[in-house]
Amino acid sequence: MSGVAGIYSFSEAFRKDLVKTLYSGLVSLTDRGEAGTGITAVNSNGEIKPYRGLGRVDVAIPWDVIRLFGASICGIAHTRYAREQYPKIENTQPIRINTSDDSKYECYVVADSTFIPSFLDKSTQKLEERGYKFGSLTGAERIGATFITELEKTNDIDEACSYTIEELDGGGGYSSILLVKEKNKSLEEIYLVALRDPHGLKPFHWGEMDETYYLESETHWLEKEGIEKIEEVPRGGGLIVSKNGARTFQVKEKEPKLCNFDPIYFGSPYTRILFKLGPKFYELFKVAVKKLDVDPKFENQPSYSVIRNCLGLALADYYPEVGERIDLFVAAPTTGIGVTEGLSAGYNKPFKSNAVRKVSATGRTFQSSDPEWRSVEVDLKFEVNRELLENKRVGVGEDSIVRGGVTGHKSKKGGLIGQLKNVGRVKEIHMFTSDAPYIFNCFRYWGVEESLVAEGLYGRTLEEINKIVGEKLGVNVYYQPLQNICEIFGPNFCRGCKDGRYPIDYKFIPDKTKRYLEKAGVL
């Protein structure tokens, strides 16, 4: 999970505001990454100007820096979700690709990528054998290095795109943008290249308005800029913008497999799905139109917010008897709001949106890589309103349980649940999660499973989670059944963390993971 954005403009009038507009796109992607961020742009003189910083967008890139870029022809930007405990500037994007001294190209890259660790190792070894010297640990640099080494060999943008997509196929998923410029050439020799894996595991969209082409992970920034026609970047292909205009291309396409966690948690509630969902979604959407005043014209392009509403409605339908034990609902802010609205409508119980708030100074604790700090941060994250909660039987809407951070498992004060019990003084707590239990690790963690299992709730069955949460906090947990997830989202999503079936090449599975999947009956 990270966020990418890019702009290429043929409008002289727009170019003076290009980097400012790109910065606004970056801000809209803040929730996709808080470890580091950066912008690289080509100014009107053909100079490439990069800037990177650690932390959230507003901290890493001060507004004064944006003004220094000046008028620009094109640019790329990134906000990073990092797994290392202490993020480093060399892993912050955009990353400059280390071309050879006699290369005719300069190249920078950004990517939202998820690769199997063993596949990355193989890719790294192959590129090093071709003479490439890596400066970071990122998947983005592996994408950029694969592209540039082939471009230097062929001097053909299309060949380099095709080679990169073929070479990376089966190893994971990515949405990537490359800024490519020929050295010592005119301003016309500039390319913005978008590449996407054949399954479309990561969200990626583009649009055009007033001679300006926009790229971003999600759709809501493009809508905000006034773009009427928003499209997905082709799976197994991409988009090339150059002096000759813009064109999409496709090398190889496979069945779509967008990460199921994106609409459930990662993405903005205002981002839209542009392809077909499962049959149960459309049944629930009709209920949402009646009970939540959702506009029916968006049935075929629903927002993540409405999808989360429907997940709440599905939970209420699956656990009808629980409603009698609940006086009101609160959300685990902010990604639990959508499911809570659905639960409230489904059970016909009030949703008290002002009963719990997220402290603005805290970030997304899911992105904190230090378990000790995360346990502290979840206790700092929430505040509750006792006036609305005391002696009430409370239903809590949550997007998912991965590490148990919001429930406060392993934290001193018990996170949100502890706040509700000890400060809000509620009578009962019933916790609903919009997603099904996480039984398997995402393939990005294959080979490092132990570090995740040790964190608590990740990978346990519903019964185990109930036992842990019950013993620690005295709450009831109600998971979304996997069947609901399958019928709501349909076949166009990856659910590997829940059902063990991944859109990757299984020859890269580590032996220990393979034995685990075989024992579970997946392989």
Side-chain angles (χ1 to χ4, degrees):
M1 174 179 110
S2 291
V4 300
I7 302 178
Y8 192 119
S9 183
F10 295 96
S11 167
E12 292 288 344
F14 178 81
R15 287 177 176 177
K16 62 182 175 60
D17 292 322
L18 186 145
V19 174
K20 294 177 183 177
T21 306
L22 189 57
Y23 180 81
S24 75
L26 201 55
V27 170
S28 76
L29 292 171
T30 299
D31 284 348
R32 297 190 74 87
E34 299 177 348
T37 189
I39 294 176
T40 296
V42 180
N43 68 16
S44 297
N45 297 320
E47 301 169 320
I48 297 180
K49 289 190 171 184
Y51 189 90
R52 299 183 295 177
L54 295 176
R56 287 164 52 101
V57 176
D58 54 335
V59 174
I61 307 181
W63 185 246
D64 288 345
V65 171
I66 298 301
R67 289 199 290 245
L68 295 176
F69 277 91
S72 298
I73 300 161
C74 65
I76 58 176
H78 186 268
T79 183
R80 181 170 183 251
Y81 165 52
R83 284 302 304 164
E84 68 260 32
Q85 188 166 336
Y86 302 106
K88 298 179 180 179
I89 194 67
E90 58 263 33
N91 293 325
T92 303
Q93 303 174 35
I95 288 175
R96 184 180 185 276
I97 299 302
N98 295 319
T99 53
S100 58
D101 293 338
D102 58 350
S103 175
K104 61 188 289 189
Y105 301 103
E106 292 178 82
C107 180
Y108 285 79
V109 63
V110 295
D112 176 12
S113 62
T114 297
F115 289 106
I116 306 166
S118 57
F119 177 85
L120 274 186
D121 293 341
K122 177 188 174 187
S123 174
T124 300
Q125 181 180 355
K126 185 173 183 178
L127 288 162
E128 287 177 339
E129 289 172 354
R130 295 183 71 175
Y132 186 84
K133 296 181 180 179
F134 283 97
S136 77
L137 300 174
T138 64
E141 189 171 10
R142 274 71 188 162
I143 296 168
T146 301
F147 175 88
I148 205 67
T149 52
E150 188 65 15
L151 182 61
E152 288 177 328
K153 176 183 173 182
T154 64
N155 289 314
D156 188 311
I157 287 283
D158 292 279
E159 286 291 330
C161 289
S162 297
Y163 176 82
T164 302
I165 289 168
E166 292 282 4
E167 192 71 7
L168 298 176
D169 185 29
Y174 56 90
S175 295
S176 180
I177 312 174
L178 300 104
L179 191 160
V180 184
K181 180 181 180 293
E182 290 193 37
K183 295 178 181 177
N184 305 318
K185 291 284 186 177
S186 70
L187 296 178
E188 294 181 336
E189 307 299 333
I190 300 168
Y191 303 87
L192 201 66
V193 180
L195 299 176
R196 194 180 189 196
D197 71 275
H199 284 294
L201 192 68
K202 304 289 187 176
F204 205 12
H205 302 88
W206 74 281
E208 184 271 335
M209 184 177 68
D210 299 332
E211 299 182 288
T212 300
Y213 292 86
Y214 299 76
L215 285 155
E216 189 169 79
S217 298
E218 303 185 25
T219 65
H220 58 292
W221 174 57
L222 304 181
E223 287 188 298
K224 183 178 178 181
E225 292 301 315
I227 297 172
E228 293 291 335
K229 186 180 179 182
I230 299 171
E231 301 180 56
E232 282 196 89
V233 173
R235 298 185 303 277
L239 174 77
I240 299 173
V241 191
S242 69
K243 64 181 181 181
N244 299 316
R247 57 187 172 88
T248 58
F249 67 93
Q250 197 160 50
V251 178
K252 65 189 308 181
E253 181 185 17
K254 297 182 178 180
E255 58 181 342
K257 290 293 178 183
L258 181 68
C259 174
N260 192 192
F261 209 35
D262 211 90
I264 285 173
Y265 170 78
F266 285 154
S268 162
Y270 309 122
T271 284
R272 299 192 180 281
I273 290 285
L274 304 184
F275 55 82
K276 191 174 180 62
L277 295 168
K280 192 175 182 68
F281 166 76
Y282 299 100
E283 296 173 11
L284 293 165
F285 183 86
K286 290 179 173 60
V287 180
V289 169
K290 294 179 180 179
K291 293 191 173 185
L292 290 163
D293 201 27
V294 171
D295 191 331
K297 74 179 181 183
F298 292 106
E299 181 178 17
N300 294 319
Q301 289 192 349
S303 68
Y304 283 6
S305 177
V306 171
I307 293 171
R308 293 166 187 174
N309 289 164
C310 290
L311 291 166
L313 290 168
L315 282 165
D317 185 57
Y318 192 81
Y319 300 105
E321 72 287 349
V322 183
E324 298 177 0
R325 301 167 59 190
I326 294 173
D327 298 317
L328 59 87
F329 278 95
V330 301
T334 55
T335 49
I337 292 174
V339 66
T340 308
E341 289 173 334
L343 285 162
S344 172
Y347 284 122
N348 196 27
K349 300 285 183 174
F351 168 31
K352 298 294 185 180
S353 59
N354 58 338
V356 177
R357 83 175 187 107
K358 176 189 172 187
V359 177
S360 58
T362 60
R364 293 188 104 173
T365 48
F366 182 84
Q367 297 189 29
S368 180
S369 300
D370 183 339
E372 184 177 354
W373 169 243
R374 187 187 308 119
S375 68
V376 173
E377 196 172 19
V378 296
D379 285 336
L380 299 174
K381 186 174 181 177
F382 303 108
E383 291 180 347
V384 302
N385 187 340
R386 182 178 167 187
E387 290 178 73
L388 300 175
L389 298 170
E390 188 167 4
N391 292 323
K392 295 293 194 300
R393 301 172 301 171
V394 175
V396 181
E398 171 64 306
D399 57 82
S400 58
I401 299 177
V402 180
R403 301 187 184 103
V406 170
T407 64
H409 180 64
K410 291 192 174 183
S411 72
K412 186 175 181 181
K413 295 183 179 179
L416 173 57
I417 300 302
Q419 290 282 312
L420 290 170
K421 293 180 66 176
N422 301 321
V423 179
R425 299 185 185 180
V426 300
K427 184 185 293 184
E428 292 180 31
I429 299 175
H430 302 270
M431 187 170 187
F432 296 81
T433 172
S434 67
D435 207 359
Y438 295 89
I439 308 302
F440 305 96
N441 286 323
C442 175
F443 61 78
R444 72 181 296 169
Y445 304 123
W446 283 354
V448 291
E449 296 96 337
E450 295 83 358
S451 65
L452 285 164
V453 172
E455 290 187 11
L457 300 180
Y458 192 96
R460 296 181 183 270
T461 66
L462 176 59
E463 290 74 20
E464 290 172 327
I465 293 173
N466 277 337
K467 183 178 179 181
I468 291 171
V469 177
E471 290 178 353
K472 294 284 183 179
L473 302 171
V475 302
N476 298 297
V477 172
Y478 305 95
Y479 259 96
Q480 191 81 253
L482 180 57
Q483 183 178 351
N484 273 359
I485 293 294
C486 295
E487 293 177 357
I488 290 170
F489 286 98
N492 296 331
F493 288 82
C494 173
R495 295 185 288 267
C497 55
K498 293 176 274 287
D499 62 13
R501 304 182 188 282
Y502 306 87
I504 48 84
D505 190 331
Y506 278 38
K507 68 183 179 184
F508 298 113
I509 302 178
D511 289 340
K512 184 173 181 179
T513 304
K514 188 177 294 185
R515 290 193 296 271
Y516 182 43
L517 294 174
E518 287 173 347
K519 185 177 180 181
V522 176
L523 292 181

